[in-house]
Amino acid sequence: MKILHIDDHQLFTEGLAIALTSSQLECDIHSALNAREAFKLLEKHHDFDLVLLDLSMPELEGIHFIQGLLERSAMLPIAILSANEDARKIKQALDLGAIAFLPKSWGTEQLVDSLKLIEQGNIIIPEEIRQSIERLPQKRANTFENNTYSNISKRQKDVLLLIQQGLSNRAIAEVLSISETTVKSHVQSLFQIFNAKNRMDCVLKATELGQL
Amino acid sequence: MANSNGFYIGNKYDQQEIALIANEHRQASIILLSGTFISQFLFPAFVVIAFWSSMPHFQLLLWLAAHYVLTLIRIYFTYYWYKHTKLVSKNSKFDRITIILSVTQAILWAYLILQIDFLEYLYPSIFLLVVIFGHTSGALGVGAYWPRYYFFYTFVLLSSFFIFALIGSGKPSYFLAFAIFCYAAFLLQIVITFNERSAENIVLKFRNESLAKSFEKQRLHAEKLAASRRNLLAATSHDLRQPLQAMNLFLSVLNNRSKTPENKHIFNQLEESAKGMGELLNKVLDISKLDSETVTVLLEPVAMQSLLDKVNTNFRLRAENKGLKLNVPSSELWIKADSVLTERLLSNLLSNSIRYTKKGKIDIQVIEKTENSIELVISDTGIGINSEQQKYVFEEFYQVNNTERDRKKGLGLGLSIVKRLCDLMNIPLTMESEERVGTIFTLKFPKCSPVESYLSTMQKKPWSLANICIAVIDDDESVLMATKALLEQWGASIIAAESADSIIQQQENSASNSINLIISDYRLRNQVTGIDAIEAIRKYQSTPELPALLISGDTDPAILRYVANSGYTMIHKPIKPAQLRSIITRKLNEKPE
């Protein structure tokens, strides 16, 4: 099982690598400390079986990384391995096709067992997390699904969503795997559409008009 | 003990306060002195007019001129020199000059007293007396703030009068001299009292102000501390856990490598420590989460029985291992609460009860108290808490009788978590306890009517394939069956066939659920492609955006490009289950474009 592990805590990536390689799970684990390293590894190796991803990373959040993977049409199964247990974020990740949430507090044995089950296509989510996702207020969790693309193109919408999440042009370019110049032109046309002075204003006006 | 400037008592006030009084007094006395300047011009003039016919004019005019010159010098000193001088010693210099100048003026008055023959010139004499006595009482105001000035000034005026009484008019009048002496003593008494009082007022006002200020400062400081403690923990909770989690991974590797019993022993100790650290960290982070108001409370109908069942499964064994009896009733009642938070609340209370009960039992009772409230009572026969300690048990890290902080007795965070949870959900909690008898906790929940089908309104579950119907199309029988088996294992219902027509036929015959997803092989029989099959089903169901995926063993770049350009998702054989599951989940949750 060839695994790509992405986590900004080096101590943890090293620990996981040692723990998994010395377990009975036959695996080849590659670690990346940020999205850029991860994308580099993905270009080099085309045969990863699974991506293990931390949700909260300082540069590029896990969710954006998944979006970036989808933009590159990489159809890799993703399992979240994170200490962050915010149900809303986990739900977002699952909606984007993540098939597992593994808490970092789990021991090696539990992780190994779960990885085996994941390999067979099972979805692994701890019971408490399932419950808290079920209990999420409907509306907020579904914002991704209720979008109407009346006035702006899908691409502009993507850019707008990423602006809302506070990403810089460069980070947006990275997520959507397009050039920074293209992002700039999208941002410019968004500014014109919403008659916005700056990014903040743009998000506010888009929200007012029901575009966000 | 008189201070150099006043009569306020030295050891009653500290250095700073004495300086403050001196400064306040100086300000006040300067204002009052400025007020007397007009009278310094008017009264000498009146006296000169009154004396005009009884004394040589030249002498009178010279006297008046001397008065005016002195007053002008004083005005200069007060209004100009004092305000614009930056000398360090300007205060004492100003004091000295002002006293010298006013004493000189007092001597001028005294000169008149000793000059005039009182008996012969009765009218001007009475006029003079009124003016001088007026001066001595009028200056009392200044005296209250600047006693020294007043002493010098009044001493000169009254002593000249005293001398006059003894030797001024032929035969000495001892009685008059005595009366003047008494008058002087009386004035002295007033000045001292005024001086002390005003000093006291100034200091009281100052102390009040600084007290209020320091209180406000302390309050802000305490608030800031509390907030920063909360924020620190909430902000760092993620990073705090990382090294510990890494350590656990390293530990598990070490465990497999350490074979000698000696190492095993050390390893077990190490693992125990890591576990303890993890527990403590989690509790602390729980509290910080509850404090940072990031926990959302969802009040919903909860079956009491579901909570009681959880208690039974989680605590029966633990209680029985300790030789305790755990009595959990059954209940048909429903309450309005947050089910997850209430579970945590109960599990903290029960852990606590079991921990502090050595023998006996733990009883849970559900009592329908009023029409709309239900009480859940947990009583134990444990060590109890005396009334003095009852105040503190809900505070963090407080433990009854655990000053040595034996960790086996727990962390002392359970009840503080309980309190926060109750506050969050607005559930009243009461505790009754008696030492060596036991403790009773009572929770008061709002009652609510039973709800049957609230489960159906819950959030869509992205992980579940239940109620999902997938059409699988493959012309290879064995692949078709394998795919079907895999998908069924995940809980989906499957319609499998070797062509789209066959799928449509099955749908028509069985009138089953409509199809949610199509998975089709790319190359089907008779030159039909998977794309054709997908479109046929989409058309049949009139769902043009029905999610679909293609599976192919093809590696022909032309085909791959063609498929990609037509907007279909294609995965390659052999199918890896995890990848298939991931793509299915994604497809089903994708927004239509």
Side-chain angles (χ1 to χ4, degrees), chain A:
Chain A
M1 192 177 193
K2 193 163 173 176
I3 297 172
L4 171 61
H5 180 217
I6 307 155
D7 194 314
D8 59 311
H9 290 86
Q10 192 164 8
L11 198 59
F12 188 78
T13 59
E14 281 170 12
L16 187 78
I18 293 181
L20 288 187
T21 39
S22 58
S23 72
Q24 7 88 318
L25 186 80
E26 275 177 38
C27 76
D28 174 16
I29 183 159
H30 297 251
S31 311
L33 291 176
N34 54 48
R36 212 162 297 141
E37 281 181 26
F39 284 131
K40 244 183 231 162
L41 281 171
L42 281 168
E43 274 164 32
K44 216 162 103 190
H45 307 261
H46 293 281
D47 54 346
F48 281 117
D49 295 302
L50 182 69
V51 176
L52 282 176
L53 177 68
D54 187 7
L55 272 188
S56 40
M57 294 188 290
E59 268 179 71
L60 190 66
E61 286 234 19
I63 292 293
H64 302 141
F65 179 79
I66 300 177
Q67 287 171 340
L69 267 187
L70 295 183
E71 289 294 332
R72 287 168 172 77
S73 348
M75 285 180 286
L76 276 172
I78 299 160
I80 306 300
L81 176 59
S82 184
N84 187 319
E85 283 161 24
D86 179 345
R88 225 165 275 138
K89 266 197 190 168
I90 297 169
K91 167 89 165 66
Q92 258 182 27
L94 294 174
D95 282 343
L96 287 171
I99 53 169
F101 179 85
L102 311 172
K104 275 192 181 172
S105 50
W106 277 6
T108 314
E109 270 173 49
Q110 211 168 357
L111 279 180
V112 169
D113 292 346
S114 307
L115 287 175
K116 282 184 193 157
L117 287 169
I118 290 169
E119 197 174 17
Q120 290 156 22
N122 292 298
I123 288 191
I124 306 287
I125 301 160
E127 188 53 36
E128 320 91 74
I129 304 286
R130 282 181 196 233
Q131 278 185 12
S132 45
I133 290 175
E134 280 170 15
R135 287 150 35 85
L136 280 179
Q138 286 281 355
K139 210 180 136 220
R140 248 192 263 173
N142 285 350
T143 41
F144 264 91
E145 288 160 45
N146 296 338
N147 291 325
T148 49
Y149 299 90
S150 46
N151 297 335
I152 56 176
S153 75
K154 173 169 184 312
R155 199 40 130 198
Q156 287 169 339
K157 178 79 183 186
D158 290 342
V159 173
L160 187 57
L161 278 170
L162 294 171
I163 291 176
Q164 186 189 25
Q165 284 157 6
L167 268 67
S168 67
N169 282 351
R170 197 169 157 195
I172 294 175
E174 203 163 296
V175 171
L176 300 175
S177 68
I178 52 179
S179 78
E180 208 176 323
T181 335
T182 317
V183 174
K184 269 184 197 154
S185 82
H186 281 309
V187 172
Q188 279 311 317
S189 42
L190 281 170
F191 277 22
Q192 274 174 11
I193 291 169
F194 294 112
N195 189 23
K197 290 188 276 297
N198 51 44
R199 296 168 94 88
M200 184 66 146
D201 196 30
C202 189
V203 170
L204 284 175
K205 285 190 169 141
T207 315
E208 262 171 40
L209 293 169
Q211 292 287 348
L212 270 175

Side-chain angles (χ1 to χ4, degrees), chain B residues 152-266:
Chain B
F152 281 113
Y153 189 64
T154 319
F155 177 77
V156 176
L157 283 181
L158 291 184
S159 58
S160 65
F161 207 34
F162 189 76
I163 293 163
F164 165 80
L166 290 179
I167 55 166
S169 55
K171 71 175 196 255
S173 164
Y174 296 109
F175 187 59
L176 183 60
F178 179 68
I180 291 167
F181 180 78
C182 287
Y183 178 66
F186 171 66
L187 289 177
L188 188 73
Q189 159 77 23
I190 290 176
V191 163
I192 290 171
T193 313
F194 273 16
N195 188 252
E196 281 173 353
R197 275 296 134 75
S198 80
E200 217 170 275
N201 282 340
I202 289 164
V203 169
L204 276 181
K205 192 173 155 229
F206 168 74
R207 282 180 185 173
N208 267 339
E209 276 170 5
S210 57
L211 214 67
K213 252 188 239 158
S214 81
F215 178 73
E216 179 68 11
K217 227 160 117 189
Q218 274 175 16
R219 195 181 60 83
L220 287 176
H221 184 64
E223 264 176 17
K224 229 166 89 188
L225 267 183
S228 72
R229 189 198 60 177
R230 279 201 300 272
N231 294 342
L232 176 77
L233 281 174
T236 54
S237 67
H238 177 68
D239 288 321
L240 273 175
R241 283 194 171 115
Q242 304 289 341
L244 198 64
Q245 282 153 351
M247 189 167 93
N248 280 327
L249 293 174
F250 287 122
L251 273 176
S252 72
V253 178
L254 208 58
N255 186 25
N256 294 331
R257 292 186 187 171
S258 54
K259 301 290 180 213
T260 68
E262 216 174 302
N263 283 349
K264 270 275 188 258
H265 176 70
I266 295 174

Side-chain angles (χ1 to χ4, degrees), chain B residues 116 130 134 175 184 195 268 270 342 357 390 413 424 459 465 506 539 549 569 578:
Chain B
I116 193 134
V130 169
F175 187 59
N195 188 252
N268 286 341
L270 210 59
T342 311
T357 305
Q390 285 182 18
L413 285 170
L424 259 180
Q459 186 65 247
L465 292 183
Q506 283 186 40
K539 206 173 154 199
L549 35 113
T569 307

